[in-house]
Amino acid sequence: MNITFNELRRIKHNLPAGSIKVIADRLHLSEDTVRNYFGGTHYPTGECIGFHLEQGPDGGIVSLDDTTILDMARSILNHESSEVVN
C-alpha cells in the first residue's frame, strides 16, 4: 500500500495518548518499532519494518509492506471519532 509520508505522520499524531503502546502490546512489538513504522528513527531500540520512502511531494510516498499497524491506528481513530459523535 502507498501513502504519503505526511498523511502517515498525521495519523500517528492524531492517535490518542497511549495508542502506540496498545498497538505494540497487541502485536508483540516494541513501542519504538511502532514509532518507526510511522516514520520515526528509533533504530537503536526498534526495528524498521516494511517502510520504504520515495522522495516526492507531501513528504514523499511511503510504500508499506504490511498495513496491520496502520489498520489498527485507523481503527483506534475511528473508534475515538464514533465516541465523540455518540
Side-chain angles (χ1 to χ4, degrees):
M1 176 200 177
N2 293 332
I3 187 171
T4 67
F5 180 78
N6 289 344
E7 179 61 22
L8 191 63
R9 295 298 288 175
R10 272 191 288 278
I11 290 169
K12 188 242 181 219
H13 290 299
N14 284 319
L15 288 170
S19 296
I20 296 295
K21 180 170 178 30
V22 168
I23 293 169
D25 288 349
R26 286 184 185 164
L27 297 176
H28 307 288
L29 299 170
S30 74
E31 290 180 46
D32 283 336
T33 297
V34 175
R35 287 185 188 97
N36 291 346
Y37 183 88
F38 287 102
T41 55
H42 304 266
Y43 297 114
T45 56
E47 299 175 51
C48 179
I49 53 173
F51 181 97
H52 312 281
L53 178 63
E54 182 177 324
Q55 298 299 324
D58 208 18
I61 301 295
V62 177
S63 177
L64 301 171
D65 294 340
D66 183 340
T67 62
T68 303
I69 293 172
L70 180 60
D71 295 340
M72 289 181 76
R74 284 179 169 159
S75 176
I76 290 169
L77 290 173
N78 288 337
H79 181 74
E80 284 287 310
S81 66
S82 68
E83 286 184 355
V84 171
V85 173
N86 293 327

